[in-house]
Amino acid sequence: MYIEDLKKDFYNVIIGERLLLLVNFDIDSICACKILQYLFRCDNVVYTLVPIQGIKDLKNAYNENRSEVKYVLLINCGGNIDIVESLEPDDDVVFFVADNHRPTDVCNVYSNGQVRLLMQPTSDEGIPGFDDIFRDEESDDEEDGEEEDDDDDEGEDSEERVESARQKRMRMSEEAILKRREKRVWEESRRRILFEYTQFSYYGQSCSVLMFELAWKLSKDNHDLIWWAIVGATEQLILGKVENQHYVLESGNLQNHVSRLSHQSSADANAQNTGVKITFDKDLRLALYRHWTVEASIKHTMYTACKLKLWSLRGEKRLNELLAEMGLPLVQSRQKFSAMDLVLRKEFQTSLEKVSEKYGLSNIVYASFVLQYGFRSRFCAADVVYAMLALLEGTGKTKSASDCFLDALDCLSRSQKDILTGGIEKAKRLLECIFKQVQTSLDMSQVLSAGPFLYLVIQEGVLDSACFSNPHCLSLLASFALRAHVAISRSRRAPNLPLVISAPLDHAEGTCLILGIPPVSEDSPRNFFGKAFEQAAEKTNSRAVFDYFDTSCMQLKCEDRGKFFDALTSLLS
C-alpha cells in the first residue's frame, strides 16, 4: 500500500523503535541513507545498517536480524519483488519501501499494511486494478446431495425424485462448465495484464530527493542534505536511468530548495552552513575536467568521444583543431585544469560553447550544481557521482564490498575530503579503462549484430576485464560502446538496435555478467530485456541467476552463453 504522509505514517511510526535499514549498492541509495542517518541522529533512532547487492543478500540480511526488529526500511530494493513471499516475515513485521525501480510489484501495491510504499505512483505507471489480478479462491464444486425435509418428500413418487435429481445434476454441471470457462478467461486476461505491466523496467524519482523532502517537512533540512539529494538525482542522469526532461524538472525543484536555504543561511548565519555555497548554473558535459587535464577529460567523456570519434587518428586530429580554435595551446590543455593560465581557465567554458556547433557538440552544456566550501574545495555534482562509482565498484582482494560501500558513504562528508579526492583519482582510471575497451572493441569489430540486437562479449583474460564485473561499470561501458558503434556504423538500423553486453564475473565459478540496454534512438530509457532474459533462459534451461534488482542484468554460466544468445535472437526476431 502507498502511504500519503511521510512524516505521520512513516517517520513518526519508527521513532522510538529499532529499525533495520537495508540499502542497495548504488549512489542514489547511499545519498538517501546519508540523509536518513542525519535525521536518525537528530531523533536518536536506533538502527542497523546493512548494504545489499541483490535478492540473496536481502534474504540473508533479513534472516540474520529478523528476531531483533519489527520495522524494516528498504532503500532502492524490494519494491519490484513480492516482499512477503520472498522473506516470509511474521505478521507483525512492517516493511517500509522507498525504491526507484519500476514497475512496483502488485502484491506490494495491494498489501494490507505489512508492506508500505513511501514513493507515490505516477499516472504513466499503469498499475492494474485489484479485481483484474486478484480474486477469491472459491470451490468450484457445489456440495452434492443437499439434505431435504423428509416430510416434504414423503408424498413424492420415486421416479419424480430421480428425474428431479438428474435435472439438478445437469444444471450444476452446466454451471460448473461456465465457471471453469469464466475462470480460464480471467486467468488469461490476468496473465496478459501482468505481462503488459511488467514487460518494461525503468526508474522513478530519486530516493535521495524523497528523503530530502522528508527532512524538509521535518524542518531539519540544510545545505549538506540538499547536496546529497542533488548527487543522487545527478547519478540518474549520468547512468541514463531517466530521460533528460525528468532531470530538468527535478533540478528545477532542487534549485528552489537551494535558493530557500541560501536565503535562510544568509539571514541566519548558521554555523553549520558557514562557508558552504551551492550554485546552479550552466556547466560543461565533461567528466572530471576541473580535476583532470582538458585533453584527457574531452577524450574520456562519452559524449565528446563519440561526437568527435576520438578513438581514431582522425578524431585526435579533430580534437587538436578544436583546441586550437578555442585558443587553448596543447601545453595548457595537457596540464591539470587548476594549473592552467587563469585567463584561459576563466574563458574555457565560453570558448568551448562558441565552437560547439561547428564540431557537432550542441549539447555540451547542461544545467548542474556546484558545491564550494573553503578556498580550494569546489566539486560539481557529476564529479562526486564518478568518484562514488569508482569507490563503490573498487571491490577486490584488498577491500570487501561493505568497506567500499562505507568509503562511498564517507566521501559525501565534507570532513572526508581525502576519500573524495582518492575516489576522483580512481574514477579517472576507470574512465580510461572504459575508453581503452571501447577502442579495442571497435578496432577488432567486436560489436556484432545478431539481427534484432547488437552484442559485445568481453573475453576472459582481457586486460582490466575485472573492472566490468560490476553492473554500474558494465552499464557505462555498454552505453559508450553502443554510441561509439552507432557513430561509425554505416547501417541505418544501428540507432534502432539495443545492445547486450557480456563480461567475465567469476573465473572459478565459470560465470559471466549479462546486461542489456535500449537503443540510442529511444528517448525513454525503458528496458525490455528483463522479461526477454527470463524467457530465453527458461526456454534453453540456461543456468541463470536473476539476483539483481535491476532486471536487465543477470548472471549466467559462460558455457550457456551461446544457446542463450540464440534463444534471445529467436525471441526478439
Side-chain angles (χ1 to χ4, degrees):
M1 60 178 272
Y2 290 100
I3 63 174
E4 296 291 333
D5 191 330
L6 284 180
K7 180 180 176 182
K8 176 187 169 187
D9 299 328
F10 161 59
Y11 197 74
N12 289 349
V13 172
I14 63 170
I15 287 181
E17 304 287 347
R18 186 179 185 86
L19 183 74
L20 176 60
L21 180 58
L22 303 178
V23 183
N24 192 17
F25 246 68
D26 67 53
I27 291 163
D28 180 42
S29 309
I30 293 172
C31 293
C33 173
K34 192 76 173 173
I35 294 170
L36 281 167
Q37 284 184 317
Y38 174 82
L39 297 178
F40 291 166
R41 277 199 304 273
C42 290
D43 294 302
N44 298 317
V45 175
V46 179
Y47 65 95
T48 302
L49 170 62
V50 185
I52 57 172
Q53 289 182 294
I55 298 169
K56 184 180 176 183
D57 282 357
L58 175 64
K59 291 178 179 177
N60 291 340
Y62 177 69
N63 289 330
E64 286 171 9
N65 296 277
R66 66 186 302 158
S67 60
E68 302 170 11
V69 293
K70 295 298 178 189
Y71 292 94
V72 184
L73 173 59
L74 296 91
I75 304 291
N76 282 341
C77 56
N80 55 358
I81 62 169
D82 186 344
I83 291 175
V84 174
E85 183 184 354
S86 299
L87 301 182
E88 299 176 349
D90 297 332
D91 292 341
D92 58 344
V93 178
V94 176
F95 294 89
F96 293 102
V97 182
D99 194 352
N100 61 21
H101 294 95
R102 301 288 187 276
T104 307
D105 190 274
V106 289
C107 294
N108 296 336
V109 172
Y110 292 111
S111 169
N112 60 2
Q114 189 163 19
V115 179
R116 304 177 190 180
L117 304 173
L118 306 187
M119 58 281 186
Q120 289 302 311
T122 56
S123 56
D124 61 344
E125 283 186 41
I127 297 170
F130 181 85
D131 293 333
D132 292 332
I133 48 175
F134 296 107
R135 64 186 279 175
D136 293 331
E137 291 295 329
E138 295 177 354
S139 174
D140 293 326
D141 300 324
E142 297 288 336
E143 288 184 1
D144 293 325
E146 293 178 347
E147 291 184 8
E148 298 177 358
D149 266 342
D150 292 337
D151 296 338
D152 296 336
D153 293 340
E154 278 179 5
E156 283 191 26
D157 184 78
S158 61
E159 288 183 8
E160 290 178 354
R161 286 204 301 273
V162 170
E163 180 63 22
S164 174
R166 188 179 69 81
Q167 290 177 356
K168 185 177 180 182
R169 281 197 298 274
M170 285 178 65
R171 285 197 305 272
M172 289 174 62
S173 177
E174 288 173 2
E175 288 174 5
I177 290 169
L178 287 171
K179 280 187 175 180
R180 281 199 293 271
R181 184 180 298 164
E182 182 189 331
K183 186 178 180 183
R184 190 168 62 249
V185 169
W186 181 86
E187 285 175 348
E188 286 174 1
S189 172
R190 180 181 188 271
R191 276 195 295 271
R192 179 181 54 77
I193 290 168
L194 283 177
F195 178 79
E196 288 174 357
Y197 175 61
T198 59
Q199 65 177 322
F200 293 105
S201 61
Y202 56 104
Y203 288 84
Q205 185 190 30
S206 158
C207 279
S208 52
V209 174
L210 184 73
M211 292 306 154
F212 173 77
E213 288 175 351
L214 171 63
W216 172 47
K217 288 170 185 173
L218 293 167
S219 300
K220 292 184 170 74
D221 54 332
N222 59 38
H223 277 78
D224 285 333
L225 270 59
I226 188 66
W227 177 246
W228 300 334
I230 287 165
V231 172
T234 305
E235 179 239 13
Q236 291 194 312
L237 177 72
I238 288 175
L239 293 182
K241 292 182 176 181
V242 295
E243 55 199 51
N244 202 55
Q245 186 62 29
H246 181 279
Y247 171 77
V248 170
L249 294 171
E250 198 72 274
S251 58
N253 172 41
L254 292 168
Q255 162 60 5
N256 292 335
H257 286 295
V258 169
S259 300
R260 177 179 54 80
L261 287 167
S262 299
H263 179 71
Q264 282 180 6
S265 59
S266 60
D268 162 40
N270 189 339
Q272 190 172 7
N273 293 327
T274 300
V276 180
K277 185 181 179 183
I278 299 173
T279 53
F280 179 64
D281 204 353
K282 290 191 299 181
D283 199 9
L284 294 172
R285 202 181 292 268
L286 295 178
L288 306 171
Y289 76 91
R290 290 182 180 86
H291 313 278
W292 214 348
T293 68
V294 167
E295 186 182 55
S297 177
I298 293 174
K299 185 176 179 179
H300 296 99
T301 299
M302 179 172 66
Y303 176 71
T304 47
C306 292
K307 288 290 184 182
L308 301 172
K309 302 183 180 71
L310 295 178
W311 49 83
S312 63
L313 290 172
R314 193 172 177 182
E316 288 185 15
K317 185 180 176 184
R318 197 163 166 78
L319 173 58
N320 290 339
E321 288 174 7
L322 169 69
L323 294 171
E325 201 158 331
M326 287 170 59
L328 190 62
L330 282 177
V331 176
Q332 292 285 331
S333 68
R334 287 173 179 170
Q335 61 181 319
K336 209 165 184 180
F337 184 78
S338 57
M340 277 171 53
D341 184 270
L342 183 62
V343 176
L344 292 172
R345 198 164 71 230
K346 283 184 175 180
E347 294 178 352
F348 175 63
Q349 183 169 324
T350 52
S351 301
L352 186 52
E353 280 185 69
K354 284 176 184 176
V355 299
S356 60
E357 289 293 334
K358 180 180 176 181
Y359 289 88
L361 303 173
S362 53
N363 293 324
I364 193 68
V365 175
Y366 76 118
S368 183
F369 295 86
V370 175
L371 171 71
Q372 186 163 1
Y373 56 94
F375 292 105
R376 301 188 65 182
S377 301
R378 183 177 170 84
F379 299 98
C380 172
D383 298 341
V384 182
V385 170
Y386 283 117
M388 289 177 72
L389 271 175
L391 289 169
L392 200 58
E393 307 299 358
T395 52
K397 293 179 181 177
T398 54
K399 279 199 170 185
S400 67
S402 296
D403 288 339
C404 292
F405 179 93
L406 293 174
D407 280 349
L409 189 68
D410 287 342
C411 88
L412 288 169
S413 301
R414 284 185 284 120
S415 59
Q416 302 280 2
K417 185 185 167 186
D418 291 345
I419 298 177
L420 177 57
T421 307
I424 287 173
E425 294 304 314
K426 286 183 179 179
K428 292 177 191 176
R429 293 194 291 273
L430 175 63
L431 292 174
E432 287 170 348
C433 288
I434 290 172
F435 180 83
K436 285 175 187 173
Q437 185 58 56
V438 169
Q439 189 173 31
T440 303
S441 300
L442 295 176
D443 288 346
M444 300 179 69
S445 301
Q446 291 177 336
V447 180
L448 303 172
S449 174
F453 62 90
L454 301 165
Y455 68 93
L456 168 62
V457 177
I458 310 299
Q459 297 294 342
E460 181 80 42
V462 171
L463 189 66
D464 299 321
S465 63
C467 290
F468 310 118
S469 60
N470 298 291
H472 292 130
C473 295
L474 191 61
S475 175
L476 282 174
L477 173 63
S479 297
F480 203 148
L482 179 59
R483 279 156 179 75
H485 174 78
V486 170
I488 64 170
S489 176
R490 294 179 181 177
S491 170
R492 291 182 180 179
R493 292 184 63 221
N496 300 317
L497 292 176
L499 174 74
V500 178
I501 190 168
S502 169
L505 180 63
D506 190 324
H507 176 68
E509 295 286 329
T511 55
C512 61
L513 202 60
I514 305 279
L515 184 140
I517 60 169
V520 171
S521 60
E522 288 285 333
D523 292 330
S524 173
R526 290 182 174 240
N527 198 318
F528 62 82
F529 276 115
K531 278 289 176 192
F533 284 170
E534 282 181 25
Q535 291 176 5
E538 187 179 343
K539 190 177 179 181
T540 56
N541 292 321
S542 298
R543 290 162 290 178
V545 178
F546 296 91
D547 190 54
Y548 298 105
F549 297 107
D550 185 347
T551 56
S552 62
C553 189
M554 58 174 274
Q555 298 174 19
L556 183 72
K557 285 282 186 181
C558 294
E559 298 166 6
D560 297 337
R561 186 163 50 198
K563 65 179 182 180
F564 174 80
F565 277 176
D566 289 341
L568 197 61
T569 305
S570 172
L571 188 68
L572 298 176
S573 293

